[in-house]
Amino acid sequence: MTDEGCPWVSFVVRKTRLQIVQDPSLNYEYLPMMGMKSFIQAALELLFGKHSQAIAEKRVGGVHTVGDSGAFQLGAQFLRTWRKNLKTVSIISCQKEQYGLIFQDMGFTVYEYVIWNPKKLCTDTSMFFEAMEHTPADSILVIGNIIDCRFSKNQWTKLMSIIKKKQIFPFFDIPCQGLSTGNLEEDTRLLQYFVSLGLEFFCSQSLSKNFGIYDEGVGVLVVAALSNRNLLCVLSQLMNYVRALWGNPPATGARIITSILCNPALFGEWKQSLQGVVENIMLIKEKVKEKLRLLGTPGSWNHITEQSGSHGYLGLNYQQVEFLTTKKHIYVPKSSRINFTCINNRNIDYITQSIHEAVMLTEG
């Protein structure tokens, strides 16, 4: 969100949208069911890197999807039909994810693991691997946006070993590449590691948040296969589900994103704007932490700045959240995970004072 309380939109996105609208040669014909080919290619290069060996070998591809959950809907449909041995889904993330409902509706048994440790006030890698131990063999593993789990190379190797041993099918979620650290490559490092080792998987890649075009709801179901032949087989079957789900994807958001990613100057501007957003998020978190320190609020508040991305945990308990909601009309989820960009110069004093009172009251 901006300081005015509106969704953030990169200036380069606004500029590109105007250029597209004013283009007299624009063709408003339906897109193919697979989606805009140039958009899919640009999205794959953003995810894996322009010089990715997997792209060169043509063993990664994608389908242009609708909304943030479209890729999960499409992928789950495919897995239910073509991987009938996969009856269980384990979802590991730093928060409760909505796409568990998609798998439940399709008849999968779903287990959800939230790896935020409320005692240590951090995303806990040990909780991740504990969840992996409980994940049954021949199942689907959905790994949410876990950028705060800073895995070591040994832990990456351990994760790969468990997946191979249990014959688990991974389904990654990349909801906002670049908005966690400001570094596009860093946010997908784990994914690049997996594809470099030849692992097959699905990935939901959403491009609405990092371009600030929430109303367009544009993304890709990324398919990493063992070979180009396998990839083509999977993509051809996915088209049957696309025909039933949405037929043809919308074009406007994809046109904007493709224009930016395929133009070095615009791409540079967009990367710079992402970096600016991430720096602003960190500044907001620093201000919140400092104001709580100056108020003398009990406890350490370092966990606020140690989390990356726009969303994070305040580290409040249920009683404290209830106080904020009922007494201060600050509506926070029970988990106390909030969007920090909703805090601005107009409300930061009220919010931090209210948090202070909530903590003092419950501490007392």
Side-chain angles (χ1 to χ4, degrees):
M1 306 294 281
T2 63
D3 284 340
E4 292 74 35
C6 299
W8 167 81
V9 183
S10 171
F11 174 73
V12 70
V13 168
R14 294 185 188 277
K15 183 170 65 175
T16 305
R17 189 193 288 269
L18 282 174
Q19 289 173 349
I20 290 170
V21 168
Q22 293 167 1
D23 183 358
S25 66
L26 197 62
N27 186 337
Y28 289 94
E29 182 57 88
Y30 286 116
L31 290 180
M33 280 196 298
M34 181 76 74
M36 188 183 292
K37 191 176 178 181
S38 56
F39 163 66
I40 295 167
Q41 183 64 26
L44 290 173
E45 289 178 2
L46 180 68
L47 200 61
F48 298 115
K50 276 198 172 184
H51 306 294
S52 164
Q53 188 177 346
I55 293 177
E57 292 170 355
K58 297 184 178 180
R59 57 184 178 86
V60 291
V63 179
H64 181 171
T65 57
V66 178
D68 285 342
S69 61
F72 280 103
Q73 187 79 37
L74 184 58
Q77 289 269 16
F78 176 90
L79 293 171
R80 185 180 64 170
T81 305
W82 291 97
R83 297 290 296 271
K84 291 184 184 295
N85 61 313
L86 306 177
K87 298 184 184 300
T88 305
V89 178
S90 295
I91 300 173
I92 305 178
S93 183
C94 57
Q95 63 176 344
K96 185 172 174 61
E97 300 288 1
Q98 295 180 347
Y99 36 75
L101 297 171
I102 294 171
F103 289 101
Q104 281 178 1
D105 285 347
M106 292 191 191
F108 290 98
T109 302
V110 177
Y111 298 99
E112 297 186 60
Y113 303 94
V114 176
I115 56 172
W116 168 259
N117 190 325
K119 292 181 179 177
K120 294 181 180 178
L121 296 174
C122 67
T123 304
D124 194 337
T125 53
S126 64
M127 289 176 71
F128 180 94
F129 284 102
E130 189 179 328
M132 286 296 302
E133 292 301 323
H134 288 99
T135 300
D138 291 315
S139 63
I140 300 164
L141 171 66
V142 180
I143 300 180
N145 186 29
I146 53 167
I147 189 66
D148 284 331
C149 262
R150 296 177 178 88
F151 291 122
S152 66
K153 285 289 173 69
N154 287 340
Q155 287 173 323
W156 286 5
T157 306
K158 182 181 178 182
L159 176 58
M160 175 66 80
S161 174
I162 295 170
I163 285 172
K164 285 184 173 180
K165 181 182 176 183
K166 293 188 172 185
Q167 295 187 310
I168 290 168
F169 185 87
F171 202 141
F172 295 96
D173 182 26
I174 305 292
C176 47
Q177 184 181 353
L179 278 179
S180 290
T181 63
N183 185 322
L184 292 166
E185 291 76 28
E186 185 63 31
D187 284 2
T188 59
R189 189 101 39 212
L190 181 63
L191 204 66
Q192 292 180 21
Y193 172 74
F194 272 78
V195 79
S196 70
L197 294 179
L199 194 77
E200 59 178 3
F201 58 81
F202 282 164
C203 173
S204 168
Q205 179 188 20
S206 174
L207 292 158
S208 300
K209 298 180 182 72
N210 48 5
F211 282 87
I213 46 176
Y214 298 90
D215 59 333
E216 300 294 346
V218 60
V220 178
L221 172 64
V222 176
V223 181
L226 299 177
S227 65
N228 177 249
R229 183 180 176 183
N230 285 12
L231 174 66
L232 293 175
C233 289
V234 173
L235 293 177
S236 70
Q237 293 302 322
L238 286 171
M239 288 306 94
N240 292 330
Y241 305 114
V242 169
R243 187 180 290 111
L245 288 170
W246 55 73
N248 308 86
T252 304
R255 283 193 180 113
I256 293 169
I257 292 166
T258 307
S259 298
I260 293 169
L261 294 181
C262 295
N263 182 310
L266 296 179
F267 181 61
E269 278 186 63
W270 173 67
K271 280 178 70 176
Q272 214 168 6
S273 69
L274 272 184
Q275 187 64 48
V277 170
V278 171
E279 288 171 3
N280 188 53
I281 291 168
M282 287 308 299
L283 184 61
I284 292 167
K285 291 178 179 178
E286 287 286 356
K287 284 180 179 178
V288 170
K289 185 176 81 169
E290 182 61 12
K291 283 184 179 289
L292 290 172
R293 187 188 69 80
L294 292 173
L295 286 166
T297 311
S300 168
W301 297 92
N302 290 333
H303 60 277
I304 290 177
T305 51
E306 286 167 357
Q307 298 171 79
S308 60
S310 58
H311 290 66
Y313 289 91
L314 285 170
L316 303 179
N317 61 35
Y318 174 76
Q319 212 178 346
Q320 292 159 350
V321 169
E322 188 74 9
F323 174 85
L324 290 180
T325 304
T326 57
K327 301 298 182 184
K328 296 295 181 177
H329 298 285
I330 298 173
Y331 300 101
V332 176
K334 290 177 184 178
S335 64
S336 84
R337 183 175 169 85
I338 67 162
N339 181 351
F340 276 94
T341 65
C342 291
I343 300 174
N344 53 51
N345 291 328
R346 293 193 303 276
N347 61 24
I348 189 169
D349 289 330
Y350 180 75
I351 289 171
T352 50
Q353 178 63 38
S354 298
I355 292 171
H356 173 73
E357 289 176 26
V359 174
M360 293 299 288
L361 183 71
T362 52
E363 288 284 322

